[in-house]
Amino acid sequence: MSYFLKKTKPSKRGEYLQIYEGYYVPKVGKRNRSYKKIGYVDDLIAQGIKDPIKYFQEEVDRLNNNCELVPQIGDVSVCKYAGHFLIKAMINKLNVKKMIDIMNSNIKLQYRMSDLMEALIFAQILSPGSKLKAFENVIPSIYNCEMFSYDQILYGIKLIGNNYEKYIELFNREIAKVWGRDTKKLYFDCTNYYFEIDVEDEIRRKGPSKENRKDPIIGQALLLDAEQIPIAMTMYPGNQSEKPYLRKNIEDLKSRYDIKGRIIQVADKGLNCGDNIFAAAVEANDGYIFSKSVHGNNLSKEEKTWVLLSDNDENKWFTVRDEKNNILYRYKCCVDTFKYDHTVDGKKVPFSVKEKRVVTYNPTLAKKKRLEIQKEVEKAKEKVTLKSMLKDEFGDCAKYVTFEAVDKNGKKTKIAKSINEDKIDEDMSLAGFNLIVTSEVNMSPMEIYNVYHGLWRIEESFRVMKTYLEARPAFLQTEASIYGHFLICYLSLTILRLLELKIFNDELPIGQIIEFIRNYKITFKGNNSYINNASLSRSFSYIKEKLGLIKLGNLELFSRDLDNLFSIEL
């Protein structure tokens, strides 16, 4: 067996190096095959190898002198990630790489932007962290992945951040070509991400953090289609309200894709306001399904009375049970005209809409809520006894305390604190109730309930980005770089959702898909072969059977086996 350094003819990217091995096949003769892929000369120089041809020719000479290097502990592990073959197959199925390169053809780059985006998506899913970590530890440990300098990564993430909406549009169009897009219903919600910095800037502003942190934050609005696959993302300064972005996202979506039909927007109570309802039902002739809080001043006294009204001929409750006849929830509905206000030139203008309202009562939720209320009441009772305690120091339990500035004779003086028993009784009575309001008066209550509860998928999407993909804290500084980072997180989530819902038919949860991708690793042992370090799991067995990957569990994998794995079609 002999080795030689193969230099591919120059292309736009320059000379490409590989180590080939020659071997003898009985009755056939001498044949050559790839032993080790090295990379482009310019890229290797950028990584610090001054003369790549000389450097790797010396390695070939050592191999030919039977002095093959034994792997040593160093900067790059001999253990490689290989589970990203699923991610690569999905990117190939969407056929986006050529268009990404065309989008950046007016910029002189020493690499393909599509390769960089692919590598960053791999790194975000396999081992998320800072871009420095991706450069130093993650990308070099990804099997069959293009290499980039740290400067190339930082410059590239800035470039894609400048046009993040165009990349979302590109992926949407390709997803629509393969599977179509159902936009008759759209799920919308918002979250925010913190930055471990002290000084605010134009987009990282202090506001109400989901984690109750005091750091500057940036907001993210996420839109899912009817199948709960991401379809749009908008970033906005952390001190701004998320409410205007619901309509903005939908209008942008309609404009970009020439959507003429009616869209039903589904969102949680945080997006339920007169401006959004007016924009959807009156201005755009669209529909909406929102939840509405039953607590505080969100409902009038008459509406709260209707929510709590017992079963009678005109107010009929229906019960939904499980297979064991246990009560899951009860519901009732009504259709009426309701009044709202929307803002015009800074002034509140009243309007009316016809709505169907569905109220549900969940006994399990009621029990949980009452325990939470009781804990807050106990905190309030403890703090009321402390004379020095100010209102701002009460926190959430302040809603169960009455603050009055009167003395014994009723004259205004020092602040007097007392427990608000009426508020406690009201919240206890409303525990377990939830109200859904909708413009879809002809939709059945059960359908309304089921459509609304599809929102759990968007809440899970935020959890995936914040936990598995570790989108925060973000370590980048400029607006374009920050947007580029969140685009990579968004595209990673989209690809994982497509695998979960389109390839694995919602039979393998997204967490288990990520677990498989991260745990499927291989270790180079020489002679063009690798040891498979993966272990059996439910996700491993499912993927192997679903995709017909016979050799997925082989202890020893050769380069040709891995080449076959990375060329599968979904």
Side-chain angles (χ1 to χ4, degrees):
M1 184 177 290
S2 61
Y3 300 86
F4 65 92
L5 186 65
K6 182 178 179 181
K7 292 166 278 189
T8 306
K9 292 181 179 180
S11 64
K12 290 183 179 180
R13 298 192 62 195
E15 209 164 22
Y16 188 81
L17 303 181
Q18 296 182 76
I19 296 178
Y20 265 62
E21 62 178 346
Y23 61 98
Y24 181 78
V25 179
K27 297 182 181 181
V28 176
K30 188 175 180 181
R31 292 288 184 270
N32 298 322
R33 63 188 174 194
S34 176
Y35 171 77
K36 180 180 180 181
K37 295 178 181 179
I38 300 173
Y40 289 96
V41 171
D42 288 345
D43 293 345
L44 296 168
I45 293 173
Q47 294 169 30
I49 302 175
K50 293 182 179 180
D51 189 345
I53 295 177
K54 180 180 178 182
Y55 180 88
F56 288 102
Q57 183 59 54
E58 290 175 354
E59 181 175 340
V60 169
D61 293 340
R62 287 192 290 269
L63 291 171
N64 285 327
N65 291 326
N66 295 319
C67 297
E68 184 175 340
L69 294 175
V70 176
Q72 299 290 320
I73 294 175
D75 294 335
V76 180
S77 173
V78 293
C79 183
K80 300 284 186 180
Y81 291 106
H84 61 290
F85 72 87
L86 287 174
I87 307 302
K88 188 173 185 65
M90 181 56 70
I91 293 174
N92 291 341
K93 187 176 185 68
L94 294 176
N95 195 29
V96 292
K97 295 188 69 174
K98 182 178 179 180
M99 184 58 71
I100 290 173
D101 291 331
I102 292 174
M103 288 169 60
N104 293 276
S105 58
N106 63 325
I107 305 171
K108 292 184 178 180
L109 299 172
Q110 292 182 324
Y111 54 90
R112 289 190 178 94
M113 181 60 78
S114 61
D115 290 338
L116 175 62
M117 288 186 68
E118 185 178 62
L120 290 173
I121 290 171
F122 291 161
Q124 198 69 41
I125 294 173
L126 289 167
S127 184
S130 69
K131 298 302 172 277
L132 181 61
K133 175 188 173 182
F135 162 69
E136 291 182 338
N137 301 322
V138 185
I139 294 178
S141 298
I142 300 176
Y143 177 80
N144 198 25
C145 183
E146 294 289 341
M147 304 293 291
F148 303 91
S149 69
Y150 186 47
D151 287 340
Q152 287 173 336
I153 291 175
L154 292 182
Y155 183 60
I157 203 79
K158 182 178 178 181
L159 285 179
I160 64 177
N162 276 325
N163 294 291
Y164 79 93
E165 290 175 322
K166 289 183 179 179
Y167 289 103
I168 293 174
E169 180 183 350
L170 169 62
F171 272 75
N172 278 339
R173 290 191 182 278
E174 298 308 316
I175 291 170
K177 287 179 184 178
V178 179
W179 292 289
R181 279 286 205 183
D182 185 352
T183 57
K184 293 179 181 178
K185 293 187 291 287
L186 294 175
Y187 294 88
F188 184 91
D189 204 353
C190 297
T191 192
N192 49 53
Y193 301 89
Y194 65 85
F195 290 74
E196 294 178 334
I197 58 174
D198 297 321
V199 181
E200 298 175 291
D201 56 28
E202 290 185 1
I203 59 169
R204 296 177 292 180
R205 306 299 295 270
K206 290 184 178 181
S209 169
K210 299 293 184 181
E211 290 86 8
N212 294 317
R213 297 175 66 100
K214 303 301 180 183
D215 306 287
I217 58 177
I218 187 170
Q220 181 190 54
L222 188 62
L223 196 67
L224 307 187
D225 66 13
E227 296 179 287
Q228 288 103 22
I229 296 170
I231 194 170
M233 175 191 78
T234 301
M235 308 302 299
Y236 58 92
N239 64 338
Q240 291 186 9
S241 169
E242 69 271 23
K243 291 180 180 179
Y245 291 92
L246 169 57
R247 200 62 222 167
K248 179 182 181 298
N249 270 261
I250 293 174
E251 291 303 325
D252 287 350
L253 197 69
K254 281 188 167 185
S255 177
R256 282 179 180 269
Y257 302 106
D258 297 322
I259 297 173
K260 306 298 183 183
R262 192 166 176 272
I263 289 175
I264 301 173
Q265 54 201 46
V266 188
D268 210 342
K269 59 179 70 72
L271 281 304
N272 185 344
C273 65
D275 289 335
N276 278 337
I277 289 174
F278 183 84
V282 180
E283 290 185 324
N285 195 31
D286 280 342
Y288 60 87
I289 298 177
F290 294 151
S291 68
K292 188 176 179 71
S293 175
V294 297
H295 298 279
N297 297 322
N298 297 288
L299 292 181
S300 66
K301 185 177 180 180
E302 293 77 12
E303 288 174 313
K304 287 181 181 178
T305 300
W306 175 75
V307 168
L308 295 169
L309 200 60
S310 300
D311 202 358
N312 58 50
D313 292 338
E314 297 180 357
N315 192 74
K316 185 68 175 176
W317 283 89
F318 298 89
T319 302
V320 179
R321 300 177 182 271
D322 62 14
E323 296 176 352
K324 296 181 180 179
N325 206 37
N326 297 315
I327 296 176
L328 293 176
Y329 61 92
R330 303 175 69 223
Y331 71 89
K332 64 178 177 179
C333 68
C334 72
V335 177
D336 207 338
T337 299
F338 295 89
K339 294 180 179 180
Y340 290 94
D341 292 328
H342 73 107
T343 307
V344 179
D345 298 328
K347 297 181 179 179
K348 294 292 185 181
V349 179
F351 70 99
S352 299
V353 292
K354 189 176 182 180
E355 281 185 343
K356 174 174 276 190
R357 295 194 166 188
V358 179
V359 62
T360 61
Y361 175 77
N362 185 319
T364 303
L365 179 63
K367 184 178 180 181
K368 177 184 175 184
K369 287 291 184 182
R370 288 185 182 119
L371 287 173
E372 292 175 356
I373 293 168
Q374 190 59 46
K375 287 181 181 179
E376 292 295 331
V377 170
E378 290 172 1
K379 288 181 185 179
K381 288 180 177 179
E382 289 179 7
K383 292 183 177 183
V384 161
T385 61
L386 303 174
K387 295 182 179 180
S388 60
M389 184 73 71
L390 300 176
K391 184 176 181 179
D392 292 344
E393 299 175 282
F394 273 74
D396 291 339
C397 69
K399 60 188 173 184
Y400 298 122
V401 179
T402 301
F403 299 87
E404 293 180 313
V406 295
D407 62 10
K408 294 180 180 179
N409 299 317
K411 295 182 179 180
K412 292 184 178 181
T413 179
K414 294 181 180 180
I415 299 294
K417 301 183 287 282
S418 61
I419 296 298
N420 189 338
E421 297 290 349
D422 290 340
K423 176 62 176 172
I424 296 170
D425 291 342
E426 180 184 273
D427 282 5
M428 283 291 192
S429 66
L430 290 170
F433 288 92
N434 186 47
L435 182 61
I436 304 172
V437 302
T438 178
S439 58
E440 308 310 291
V441 295
N442 295 320
M443 190 179 287
S444 71
M446 289 291 290
E447 186 179 0
I448 293 168
Y449 179 87
N450 291 332
V451 169
Y452 172 75
H453 280 271
L455 272 173
W456 73 269
R457 189 85 75 175
I458 199 168
E459 294 169 356
E460 184 195 48
S461 295
F462 287 134
R463 285 197 298 272
V464 168
M465 285 207 281
K466 290 185 176 183
T467 55
Y468 288 109
L469 300 179
E470 295 183 20
R472 62 31 170 165
F475 302 98
L476 297 156
Q477 302 297 318
T478 67
E479 180 176 329
S481 298
I482 291 168
Y483 287 175
H485 164 70
F486 283 106
L487 173 68
I488 294 300
C489 294
Y490 170 88
L491 295 179
S492 300
L493 171 68
T494 302
I495 289 168
L496 290 167
R497 278 282 185 240
L498 290 171
L499 285 169
E500 178 189 29
L501 301 175
K502 295 297 186 180
I503 304 303
F504 301 135
N505 303 319
D506 207 11
E507 296 172 343
L508 193 63
I510 195 169
Q512 293 185 26
I513 296 173
I514 296 172
E515 174 193 85
F516 167 81
I517 291 171
R518 291 180 177 176
N519 292 338
Y520 194 80
K521 298 179 182 179
I522 55 175
T523 300
F524 181 66
K525 65 180 284 287
N527 294 324
N528 215 26
S529 68
Y530 297 78
I531 295 297
N532 187 346
N533 301 120
S535 56
L536 288 175
S537 64
R538 177 182 178 273
S539 54
F540 179 95
S541 301
Y542 179 90
I543 291 169
K544 179 181 177 181
E545 181 179 351
K546 179 74 175 180
L547 302 181
L549 302 174
I550 299 174
K551 293 188 176 182
L552 191 66
N554 283 14
L555 176 62
E556 186 174 17
L557 295 168
F558 293 93
S559 292
R560 61 180 177 273
D561 300 323
L562 292 168
D563 290 343
N564 290 334
L565 191 61
F566 277 85
S567 61
I568 65 165
E569 295 183 4
L570 296 176

